[in-house]
Amino acid sequence: MVLIVGSGLAAFSIGLELERRAIKFNIMGDDLTSASHISSGIINPISGRELLLTPNYNILLDAAIPFYVIDGTNFLKKVDIIKKIKDINTIKDLELNIENKTEWISKINEDTVLIKKAYQLDVNLFLNTLKKRFIESGNFFKEAFEYNLVELKDNVKYKNKEYDFVIFAEGMGIVKNIFFNHLPFLPNRGEALYLSVQNYNKEEICHDGKFICKYGDGFWVGSTFDRVPFSEPSKTENSFESLSQAAIKLTEGHNFQIMAHLGAFRCASHDRRPYIDVHTEHKQLYVFNGLGTKGATYIPFFTHQIIDHILYKTPINKEVRLDRIKRNKIYRTV
Ligand SMILES: Cc1cc2nc3c(=O)[nH]c(=O)nc-3n(C[C@H](O)[C@H](O)[C@H](O)COP(=O)(O)OP(=O)(O)OC[C@H]3O[C@@H](n4cnc5c(N)ncnc54)[C@H](O)[C@@H]3O)c2cc1C
C-alpha cells in the first residue's frame, strides 16, 4: 500500500497511475487551492526569451498524451501558440535561433513565431474528475498530513495505518516536511486573471509579454514570476494592475470582466528540474516536487519513473535525482 501526500496535479496523477497498475494506494490531501488549481496547464516546447527547447520534449510529450486520457475522455488539447518576441537580440538572430527547432517553431514575421506541438491540459477538470473518482473508491482522505506522527519502521506507520511507501507531492507544503525540507526549493509566486471576454473566440494561445488562453468558460491572462519567500501573500495589488493592463492589450479591444484574481506559489528548484527521488536514508520515503512552471509536462513521464523505481528499482533520471544537489554544493535559500 502506497500513501501519497498532496492534492495537486502531482499527487492525483500518481494516484491515477497506481490505480491503472492495480496497486493499492491512499491519497491524503488538504484540498487547498494551489498552483495546480490556477495553472493554465500549457505544455510548451519552447520557453524563455531565447526560445529554448525543453530538453527531451518529445519523450515527455509521448508520456503525456496517453496519460491525460481517462476512460476515453481526453483532458489534453493540441493548441498553437502565437508568440511575439520582445528581446531585441532574439529578433535580430531569429533565423539562427529557430534553425534547429523547425519541428517546434516557425517564423510568422520578423518578431512573431508559431510554436507547434504545444498542448493545454484542463487541469481543474482533470483534478475534479480524479478527486470524485478517488472519493468514490475510498482512496482520498481530505486532511492535512502531520509529519510528526510518522513512525518509521521497515514500512511507515501513520496514525492507525501502515504503508509500504509514502510519496510526498505536496508542492509548497514541503516547507513543513521534516524529511525533505532541507532541499533547495525556490518559491516562485505566480498570479493570473480569469476573464469573461465578449465576442472573443480565439482558439490559439497568444503570447505578447503575457499569455491569453482559454480557461474554463472564459479566458486566462498571466502570469507573473516573483522570487519572494513562501511567507509572502499569494496575490498583490501591483500584479493585479499589471495583469489588467496586459488583459486590455491581449483582448484587442473586446469588453471583458475580471471574474477572479488568481495567485499561488510554484515550488521551483535550484536548476529548473524537479526533485524526484527516494530519501537518502529512509528507503520507504519518496519526494515528487520542484515542478516549477512545467508540472503538466513533467508529471506523466516521472510518475511512470517513480512507480517503476518503487516496483522494480529501475533508475530515476539523473537530472531529477537528489544526488545532483550535493554535487553542485547548492544550499537551501528560503
Ligand atoms: C499562475 C500559474 C500558472 C501556471 N501555469 C502553468 C502551465 O501553463 N503549465 C504548467 O505545466 N505548469 C504551470 N504552472 C505550474 C504548475 O501549477 C505546477 O508545476 C504544478 O501544478 C505543481 O503541482 P504539485 O501537485 O506539485 O503542487 P501543488 O499544485 O502546489 O499541489 C500541492 C497540494 O498539496 C496540498 N498539501 C500541501 N501540504 C499538505 C499536507 N501537509 N497535507 C496534505 N496536503 C498538503 C496543497 O494544499 C496542494 O493542494 C503554473 C503555476 C502558476 C502559479
Side-chain angles (χ1 to χ4, degrees):
M1 172 77 104
V2 178
L3 174 65
I4 306 157
V5 177
S7 40
L9 188 58
F12 281 6
S13 296
I14 297 166
L16 175 64
E17 186 56 28
L18 288 172
E19 184 195 276
R20 284 172 172 159
R21 298 193 193 197
I23 296 165
K24 287 191 180 145
F25 67 97
N26 283 167
I27 299 180
M28 208 164 281
D30 58 19
D31 206 18
L32 296 177
T33 298
S34 64
S36 299
H37 304 90
I38 69 160
S39 157
S40 46
I42 300 170
I43 295 181
N44 180 357
I46 303 289
S47 48
R49 219 181 288 193
E50 300 96 13
L51 306 176
L52 298 174
L53 176 65
T54 301
N56 299 319
Y57 183 74
N58 283 354
I59 294 171
L60 297 167
L61 190 61
D62 283 349
I65 289 173
F67 190 89
Y68 292 122
V69 180
I70 306 175
D71 296 339
T73 303
N74 191 355
F75 294 84
L76 202 62
K77 178 182 76 182
K78 194 165 192 294
V79 65
D80 288 337
I81 302 178
I82 313 284
K83 180 179 169 78
K84 196 146 182 138
I85 301 163
K86 301 290 194 195
D87 185 66
I88 203 81
N89 291 321
T90 310
I91 294 173
K92 215 167 67 199
D93 296 331
L94 189 54
E95 303 284 354
L96 204 64
N97 269 312
I98 67 175
E99 73 177 0
N100 295 324
K101 305 171 198 154
T102 50
E103 186 181 344
W104 303 279
I105 188 166
S106 60
K107 185 173 163 180
I108 295 178
N109 60 41
E110 65 282 353
D111 69 349
T112 311
V113 288
L114 168 69
I115 297 175
K116 302 173 276 186
K117 293 185 86 172
Y119 287 77
Q120 189 179 14
L121 174 67
D122 191 334
V123 184
N124 279 319
L125 196 59
F126 183 72
L127 290 181
N128 288 337
T129 303
L130 286 178
K131 188 164 79 180
K132 185 166 176 282
R133 187 182 183 95
F134 296 149
I135 289 172
E136 280 168 7
S137 60
N139 289 320
F140 179 69
F141 300 92
K142 185 177 167 179
E143 64 179 84
F145 186 83
E146 295 174 65
Y147 302 92
N148 56 334
L149 299 183
V150 170
E151 286 175 54
L152 292 176
K153 303 174 172 177
D154 283 347
N155 58 8
V156 182
K157 192 164 178 234
Y158 182 76
K159 295 188 177 171
N160 54 356
K161 272 185 123 167
E162 303 210 4
Y163 297 95
D164 300 306
F165 299 97
V166 179
I167 304 175
F168 291 106
E170 72 273 69
M172 69 174 278
I174 193 84
V175 293
K176 291 192 189 153
N177 184 328
I178 50 178
F179 305 104
F180 290 106
N181 68 1
H182 59 285
L183 300 175
F185 288 101
L186 293 178
N188 185 325
R189 180 172 59 202
E191 295 174 67
L193 297 179
Y194 171 36
L195 309 177
S196 165
V197 192
Q198 272 176 25
N199 304 320
Y200 181 90
N201 298 311
K202 276 195 179 164
E203 288 295 327
E204 68 269 22
I205 297 175
C206 296
H207 186 207
D208 185 357
K210 301 276 178 245
F211 283 98
I212 185 165
C213 61
K214 288 203 161 173
Y215 185 77
D217 294 336
F219 289 86
W220 183 102
V221 167
S223 59
T224 58
F225 301 84
D226 290 323
R227 283 274 158 86
V228 293
F230 284 128
S231 51
E232 290 284 307
S234 60
K235 290 188 271 189
T236 64
E237 267 305 308
N238 276 352
S239 293
F240 181 80
E241 272 313 309
S242 65
L243 290 166
S244 302
Q245 291 305 316
I248 292 169
K249 185 160 124 192
L250 288 162
T251 51
E252 300 166 341
H254 292 264
N255 286 333
F256 67 85
Q257 196 186 346
I258 298 174
M259 311 293 281
H261 177 195
L262 312 167
F265 278 89
R266 306 171 185 93
C267 206
S269 70
H270 70 283
D271 59 0
R272 299 181 186 210
R273 298 284 182 281
Y275 300 132
I276 296 169
D277 208 345
V278 63
H279 193 279
T280 40
E281 286 164 32
H282 309 300
K283 299 303 173 199
Q284 60 287 58
L285 303 181
Y286 281 78
V287 64
F288 194 109
N289 208 319
L291 295 151
T293 59
K294 289 192 181 293
T297 309
Y298 286 134
I299 285 170
F301 180 84
F302 287 108
T303 290
H304 283 291
Q305 277 218 339
I306 199 169
I307 295 174
D308 287 346
H309 187 270
I310 288 174
L311 293 178
Y312 315 116
K313 298 290 166 240
T314 49
I316 294 173
N317 281 14
K318 64 178 185 310
E319 70 268 19
V320 303
R321 286 202 312 251
L322 301 184
D323 55 6
R324 80 191 195 273
I325 300 170
K326 223 177 352 182
R327 272 204 310 272
N328 295 343
K329 291 194 167 50
I330 302 279
Y331 298 103
R332 189 173 158 75
T333 54
V334 287

